[in-house]
Amino acid sequence: MLTWLRKRIPGFGALALAGTLLSGGAQAADTIKVGILHSLSGTMAISETTLKDVMLMLIDEQNKKGGVLGKKLEPVVVDPASNWPLFAEKARDLISNQKVAVVFGCWTSVSRKSVLPVFKELNSILFYPVQYEGEESERNVFYTGAAPNQQAIPAVDYLMKEEKVKRWVLAGTDYVYPRTTNKILEAYLKAKGVAPDDIMINYTPFGHSDWQTIVSDIKKFGSAGKKTAVVSTINGDANVPFYKELGNQGIKATDIPVVAFSVGEEELAGIDTKPLVGHLAAWNYFESVKSPENTKFIKEWHDFTKNPKRVTNDPMEAHFIGFNMWVKAVEKAGTTDADKVIDTLPGTKAPNLTGGTSEMLPNHHITKPVLIGEIKGDGQFDVVSKTGMVPGDAWSKYLEGSKDLIGDWKDKKCGNYNVKTNKCGGTSS
Amino acid sequence: MRVRNIAALLFLTFCLCTGLIANAHAQSFEEALAGFTTDEYSDTDKAITELAASGNPRAADIIGALQDGRLYFNTDAKKVYIKDKSDVPQDAATGTPASGVSADDLSPVRLNNRLRRTVDAALGGLTLLSNDPGRRFDAAQSVFKSREESALSALDTAIGKETDPRIKRALMEARAAILASKTDAAENVRLGAIETIRARGDQDALGLLSGIAAASEGPLRNAAQAGIGAIQAKLALWNNLQNVWYGLSLGSVLLLAAIGLAITFGVMGIINMAHGEMVMIGAYTTFVVQEYIRSHNPALFGMSLFIAIPLAFVVTGIIGIAIERSIIRFLYGRPLETLLATFGLSLILQQAVRTIFGANNREVGAPAFMSGTFDFGGLAITYGRMWIIAFAIIVFIALQLVLRLTPFGLRMRAVTQNRRMASAMGIDTNRIDALAFGLGSGIAGMAGVALSQIDNVSPNLGQSYIIDSFMVVVFGGVGNLWGTLVAAMTLGVANKFLEPFAGAVLGKIVLLIFIILFIQKRPRGLFALKGRAVEA
């Protein structure tokens, strides 16, 4: 009965919630349509609803400035309901029926993988705003979130240098992003001379809520006389009980710091952060960053949502950068034609919210600074380290299968070009 | 140089509290305070150390305020302030209320992890002679961790004065920790220190000895390694007990989630897929109660859970009755339709909560009695988990009493055993059905109050428990509350013994396979009901 239910659940979700999708309705011919493909219901709604709102705000602002190419932008919002096959259906609907010029969307890697064939087949553009595991570079996708070298590796470097960490716990939720990131980190740590005995890797199921054993294991692992840190790729919902258990068992940031890659301002909004003060997160943006662009963005966001308490976070900034890059590319190309815009985008520059300028690279990733923040008592982050602009690597230098690969859609027209064999496709070994 | 300074000054502070040296230090005290006003981590670090060394009686208060995030500075005036409990700024240098300071001009002195360690070490040294036994104990613990050699003389003074045996032991251990890792101490002193640490025998002691074993040679190394072996052997035993405790704790969570279902599914035979949502609504009730208390009467916060429990029971109970009256009563005897209808209902409830409260997690705070840990032998027991186990047991007993001793329980049992006969005896079976469903839902709501303390309060809360709840009820035997209890505890303990070596993912798979095989062998679960009721 259990498997039967599990199989049925996504299907029911789709049925029951298909009715909730909002669509553009009647539209004037002289608008440019922008597709927004974020879950507004189901498990991922917790993270993705905000991104839909920020896109609506950005489009609204752009229209106030006169739109793009003299035309107004028209948002088309659909709800893929946290259901991976439905993402592909909705993407097809956006491109074929609604004729959108570009789509901003997806959160989980599996949803991105699910819509990928659709974007290739129908030749459209997807802006993907979330930090992910890398090992991908597609012609139709622009990755505005962090690749592992823009988040995980600088975070580990920070802990090695500032906290003198010698022993590492890599804890993650059991799916592709943590597994790939941890594989990269393990290879990186070993390359830095960390003994295999000093690395503990642990995976937990989605939504894991009983962390007693794992937290006490971490405590044990941390009492071997060497400074220990936890690198957490624990996803979404499982974080709250994890941090609560850390607080309960009295593991303080001064003893065993935890650096997280999926915990931002939004996630902390649901926790009492007092016991977590000092634990770390690595992102490319924090709401607490002081810059004129960020102050303006936060004010616009509060005005738009009519809620002065709504927090901002890293994937929102990614959409901000991606949207501005798309606008610039369309204006430069003079058309919204997908092929022309795809060719124009690499090299396009747009300001980010931390006071710098990001650039779209030929591998369809962008340059970003890496920020390390310590959790404060009020649920915000105190930035303790900031790097210069780091270009995103589509393929990790630390993995056997990908160290010789690059993505280059400008000259080589190839997402996995092998610089050793000078051939497109395949792996590097 | 720095280290020696602190040592000398601490000594002076503790032994020669005379006016002679006060002047000499007044200046360094002022200078140290100015270090807090630059908003640079390195200056703050220096300021803390200098302040601790200044010997000023205000030092402990100021550093304590820094630790609690109550230390503020004004860049222009180069002054440092402490905010007291009611947010009124005081001049840090004198401790008198500061007049004419607006809160807008003040920024907090920021800390990072490195500074927090400096603060802990400094405060540890400064509060070893505090009048408050709790603070003395904490100070001993933080010296044990920081192993700051400068605290040695203060420790000796403190040990000489201490009368409380527990604190005295902690102080001795802190002293031993410093001596054992002090490379220029005599070997027999260090060996003696290692013995003291070995006797402490906990996780921290193990970490300390491992460090010493790695960094030394000869008899020291042997002694440290012998100590490690002894502590590990002792911890291994406690480890098993710890697993049992974790298992009981997980089992109590499963029991809470499943016990309401044991009524609706187990006793009434309704496959209620919206059961998890009742748990979720109970958790949200807690959130609403806490929000109300926060804005209206913060003093009551400690009582928030006691207010939330009956409220959650009433709210979810009423929703349960409404569901039974409006949907389920038309579907008795049609399990598949009931399943579909309640599943649809669960999605509607989830989306409704998402619309009302937003998709984000809501913060439910833990009252003071639910937070923290205490050590029981080698077990670290968290208060939150302990109270949840107690709550689960109380709910279980209360439910048994209701079913056994009240007229309603009697009628309910009569209806489940033989509906037509009960009806013929004049029992209003419709009413009993509604009330029983309300009871099951209400208990789920109370479980939600407890779960809000350990899990996310989000619209998805219920989903993560529904499969586990069905598993517990089916495994325990449908229609049997004792079966539910035994099943929940068995699954909890088995899970926790599997987890350390199989991992959380594989552990769960192994358990599921076990249950599938078990159900093949005994389709009616652990405690099968016998007799005519089963066939009906």
Side-chain angles (χ1 to χ4, degrees):
Chain A
M1 188 181 102
L2 297 174
T3 38
W4 186 84
L5 285 175
R6 281 217 192 275
K7 266 191 185 163
R8 297 291 140 145
I9 285 168
F12 283 134
L15 262 179
L17 297 164
T20 59
L21 80 129
L22 310 155
S23 71
Q27 70 289 136
D30 58 345
T31 59
I32 298 173
K33 290 206 208 171
V34 177
I36 301 172
L37 183 67
H38 283 302
S39 301
L40 310 178
S41 51
T43 33
M44 292 313 295
I46 178 172
S47 310
E48 294 192 62
T49 317
T50 315
L51 291 184
K52 183 242 349 175
D53 291 339
V54 83
M55 280 312 299
L56 292 179
M57 175 182 99
L58 291 170
I59 291 171
D60 191 49
E61 298 281 325
Q62 189 65 33
N63 281 338
K64 278 185 201 152
K65 285 188 243 163
V68 179
L69 300 176
K71 294 180 184 175
K72 293 270 180 218
L73 296 177
E74 181 190 334
V76 184
V77 181
V78 291
D79 176 20
S82 314
N83 173 354
W84 321 136
L86 196 62
F87 265 91
E89 273 174 48
K90 292 286 169 194
R92 187 174 291 279
D93 175 51
L94 280 174
I95 304 166
S96 305
N97 302 335
Q98 305 278 348
K99 309 258 182 266
V100 297
V102 60
V103 175
F104 291 83
C106 297
W107 181 287
T108 57
S109 285
V110 44
S111 68
R112 188 188 70 249
K113 297 265 187 210
S114 143
V115 299
L116 196 57
V118 180
F119 278 87
K120 277 170 142 176
E121 182 198 327
L122 303 174
N123 194 25
S124 187
I125 304 169
L126 172 70
F127 276 86
Y128 176 69
V130 184
Q131 100 302 358
Y132 84 120
E133 66 279 3
E135 307 298 293
E136 189 181 294
S137 173
E138 292 288 343
R139 183 171 178 270
N140 301 88
V141 185
F142 291 87
Y143 309 82
T144 51
N149 74 314
Q150 291 173 307
Q151 192 182 25
I153 292 196
V156 166
D157 283 340
Y158 172 84
L159 286 176
M160 274 186 180
K161 196 170 142 262
E162 294 294 323
E163 298 269 336
K164 313 270 182 294
V165 172
K166 298 280 188 307
R167 250 163 111 80
W168 302 85
V169 180
L170 309 181
T173 302
D174 201 4
Y175 74 109
V176 56
Y177 166 68
R179 283 215 177 244
T180 317
T181 307
N182 285 345
K183 222 185 328 177
I184 295 171
L185 284 179
E186 197 187 356
Y188 180 74
L189 288 173
K190 282 181 180 160
K192 286 267 172 184
V194 177
D197 281 351
D198 287 337
I199 303 175
M200 166 177 148
I201 300 184
N202 184 291
Y203 291 107
T204 40
F206 266 102
H208 191 66
S209 61
D210 194 277
W211 288 92
Q212 301 179 85
T213 312
I214 291 159
V215 168
S216 86
D217 280 353
I218 291 173
K219 212 169 165 182
K220 255 177 246 155
F221 188 78
S223 56
K226 292 180 188 168
K227 179 77 188 171
T228 306
V230 180
V231 178
S232 153
T233 38
I234 296 163
N235 178 272
D237 276 1
N239 273 304
V240 175
F242 174 61
Y243 280 112
K244 278 189 181 170
E245 191 64 40
L246 279 180
N248 274 340
Q249 295 204 15
I251 297 187
K252 282 196 236 126
T254 42
D255 309 327
I256 302 179
V258 178
V259 59
F261 303 147
S262 312
V263 176
E265 291 84 353
E266 288 261 276
E267 286 74 14
L268 288 184
I271 327 180
D272 174 19
T273 52
K274 300 236 164 41
L276 308 182
V277 167
H279 286 305
L280 305 143
W283 289 103
N284 308 111
Y285 166 84
F286 286 111
E287 186 178 356
S288 59
V289 167
K290 297 245 182 314
S291 78
E293 295 88 353
N294 191 31
T295 315
K296 182 167 166 273
F297 181 76
I298 294 170
K299 190 182 173 303
E300 281 169 5
W301 175 241
H302 289 167
D303 291 347
F304 182 80
T305 55
K306 300 189 178 60
N307 179 355
K309 281 190 182 156
R310 277 289 279 272
V311 291
T312 58
N313 65 13
D314 179 271
M316 289 170 65
E317 191 223 15
H319 260 344
F320 172 82
I321 301 169
F323 179 76
N324 285 327
M325 282 182 171
W326 176 78
V327 169
K328 282 195 178 172
V330 168
E331 276 169 350
K332 196 174 163 205
T335 168
T336 57
D337 177 66
D339 283 331
K340 296 235 171 65
V341 176
I342 289 174
D343 288 342
T344 319
L345 266 167
T348 306
K349 289 182 181 160
N352 57 36
L353 294 175
T354 47
T357 306
S358 290
E359 182 184 346
M360 181 59 72
L361 300 167
N363 63 5
H364 287 189
H365 291 63
I366 67 173
T367 59
K368 301 178 123 185
V370 184
L371 279 64
I372 314 280
E374 280 187 4
I375 298 176
K376 293 197 289 184
D378 61 357
Q380 287 287 334
F381 290 86
D382 193 5
V383 179
V384 290
S385 149
K386 182 183 175 188
T387 68
M389 284 296 175
V390 180
D393 283 342
W395 302 96
S396 173
K397 293 188 188 81
Y398 302 98
L399 288 185
E400 265 316 302
S402 73
K403 62 181 178 195
D404 298 327
L405 297 182
I406 57 160
D408 185 350
W409 292 102
K410 213 173 166 82
D411 303 322
K412 313 272 195 250
K413 304 281 175 208
C414 176
N416 51 356
Y417 188 82
N418 191 322
V419 290
K420 281 262 173 69
T421 59
N422 287 329
K423 271 190 208 139
C424 185
T427 58
S428 56
S429 46
Chain B
M1 177 61 206
R2 197 197 72 190
V3 168
R4 205 149 307 155
N5 248 343
I6 308 175
L9 289 169
L10 279 175
F11 182 73
L12 289 173
T13 322
F14 293 124
C15 311
L16 303 167
C17 288
T18 64
L20 278 175
I21 51 161
N23 276 338
H25 295 302
Q27 191 148 12
S28 69
F29 175 68
E30 293 290 328
E31 271 170 24
L33 273 186
F36 290 120
T37 60
T38 56
D39 205 20
E40 290 285 335
Y41 288 138
S42 50
D43 288 341
T44 312
D45 193 12
K46 232 174 89 200
I48 299 165
T49 335
E50 279 173 7
L51 194 60
S54 75
N56 191 293
R58 302 271 316 138
D61 281 350
I62 296 171
I63 298 176
L66 179 61
Q67 189 180 39
D68 303 342
R70 290 186 291 113
L71 194 65
Y72 289 75
F73 71 96
N74 182 330
T75 331
D76 300 329
K78 293 256 170 244
K79 293 271 275 185
V80 187
Y81 301 94
I82 295 176
K83 276 196 185 167
D84 62 10
K85 295 234 160 53
S86 47
D87 268 356
V88 180
Q90 299 174 334
D91 191 329
T94 57
T96 50
S99 54
V101 185
S102 113
D104 298 338
D105 300 336
L106 299 181
S107 1
V109 179
R110 299 191 304 154
L111 286 180
N112 65 10
N113 281 333
R114 193 164 48 89
L115 290 180
R116 271 181 211 107
R117 278 191 287 273
T118 316
V119 166
D120 286 348
L123 213 53
L126 286 174
T127 51
L128 278 172
L129 290 168
S130 161
N131 288 329
D132 175 1
R135 285 184 78 180
R136 287 204 301 277
F137 185 73
D138 290 345
Q141 298 298 356
S142 68
V143 171
F144 183 87
K145 271 189 194 156
S146 70
R147 303 195 287 282
E148 189 76 48
E149 284 183 26
S150 57
L152 210 48
S153 56
L155 267 174
D156 286 332
T157 320
I159 291 170
K161 277 188 179 174
E162 190 56 64
T163 49
D164 185 329
R166 187 179 73 113
I167 302 173
K168 188 157 190 160
R169 207 175 69 225
L171 289 167
M172 298 288 281
E173 284 162 1
R175 184 169 172 273
I178 298 174
L179 289 175
S181 39
K182 196 168 177 237
T183 40
D184 55 355
E187 191 171 273
N188 58 341
V189 174
R190 293 186 72 186
L191 283 174
I194 287 174
E195 277 312 304
T196 313
I197 298 165
R198 174 180 171 164
R200 178 177 162 125
D202 66 355
Q203 217 56 262
D204 290 329
L206 189 61
L208 184 57
L209 288 182
S210 312
I212 294 168
S216 57
E217 279 165 3
L220 272 178
R221 190 193 174 95
N222 292 340
Q225 255 158 0
I228 294 171
I231 294 176
Q232 271 172 345
K234 187 181 141 202
L235 285 182
L237 180 73
W238 282 110
N239 214 0
N240 282 324
L241 283 175
Q242 185 96 56
N243 276 340
V244 172
W245 171 257
Y246 287 163
L248 290 179
S249 156
L250 177 63
S252 70
V253 169
L254 289 175
L255 177 66
L256 274 174
I259 195 164
L261 197 72
I263 305 263
T264 50
F265 175 58
V267 180
M268 298 173 70
I270 301 165
I271 300 181
N272 179 17
M273 297 300 287
H275 174 76
E277 276 55 50
M278 296 297 140
V279 176
M280 184 256 295
I281 291 170
Y284 271 92
T285 311
T286 321
F287 166 71
V288 173
V289 167
Q290 289 201 347
E291 281 298 287
Y292 186 84
I293 286 176
R294 275 200 188 111
S295 57
H296 286 81
N297 193 351
L300 271 177
F301 189 77
M303 301 295 293
S304 60
L305 293 187
F306 298 106
I307 301 169
I309 288 170
L311 250 169
F313 181 80
V314 171
V315 169
T316 49
I318 290 173
I319 294 176
I321 291 173
I323 292 171
E324 201 276 343
R325 284 291 89 185
S326 58
I327 300 173
I328 289 170
R329 70 173 166 141
F330 303 110
L331 299 171
Y332 281 121
R334 287 145 69 187
L336 207 59
E337 275 102 309
T338 319
L339 188 148
L340 290 179
T342 50
F343 187 77
L345 188 71
S346 84
L347 290 175
I348 293 171
L349 287 174
Q350 274 177 43
Q351 199 62 27
V353 168
R354 204 170 276 137
T355 313
I356 298 169
F357 293 97
N360 288 351
N361 290 336
R362 293 287 135 184
E363 184 190 331
V364 172
F369 70 92
M370 292 286 286
S371 20
T373 3
F374 66 97
D375 286 320
F376 178 78
L379 293 183
I381 291 174
T382 52
Y383 283 106
R385 297 279 179 178
M386 187 184 75
W387 289 120
I388 287 174
I389 294 181
F391 181 62
I393 293 168
I394 291 170
V395 168
F396 181 81
I397 293 173
L399 187 61
Q400 285 286 15
L401 292 180
V402 166
L403 291 186
R404 300 272 149 216
L405 300 181
T406 64
F408 164 67
L410 182 70
R411 289 185 192 131
M412 196 183 125
R413 281 182 295 140
V415 171
T416 41
Q417 275 174 20
N418 194 326
R419 178 174 294 271
R420 289 161 79 187
M421 183 70 86
S423 180
M425 302 293 283
I427 295 174
D428 183 350
T429 56
N430 279 335
R431 196 168 147 266
I432 294 296
D433 284 339
L435 287 178
F437 196 84
L439 176 69
S441 302
I443 290 170
M446 294 203 294
V449 179
L451 293 185
S452 74
Q453 292 297 310
I454 51 168
D455 209 336
N456 296 292
V457 180
S458 80
N460 309 324
L461 170 69
Q463 274 186 332
S464 38
Y465 288 100
I466 185 75
I467 302 279
D468 284 342
S469 305
F470 271 107
M471 205 162 80
V472 167
V473 175
V474 170
F475 180 54
V478 172
N480 190 320
L481 283 183
W482 285 104
T484 308
L485 173 74
V486 173
M489 293 303 167
T490 314
L491 290 179
V493 174
N495 199 337
K496 285 297 158 191
F497 272 92
L498 278 172
E499 209 178 295
F501 53 91
V505 182
L506 200 61
K508 209 157 187 184
I509 296 174
V510 170
L511 269 189
L512 270 175
I513 293 176
F514 165 72
I515 288 179
I516 292 170
L517 294 178
F518 182 85
I519 295 295
Q520 298 299 315
K521 191 86 189 141
R522 289 183 66 125
R524 291 188 193 282
L526 275 177
F527 297 87
L529 277 189
K530 294 187 184 75
R532 215 180 299 172
V534 180
E535 324 302 333

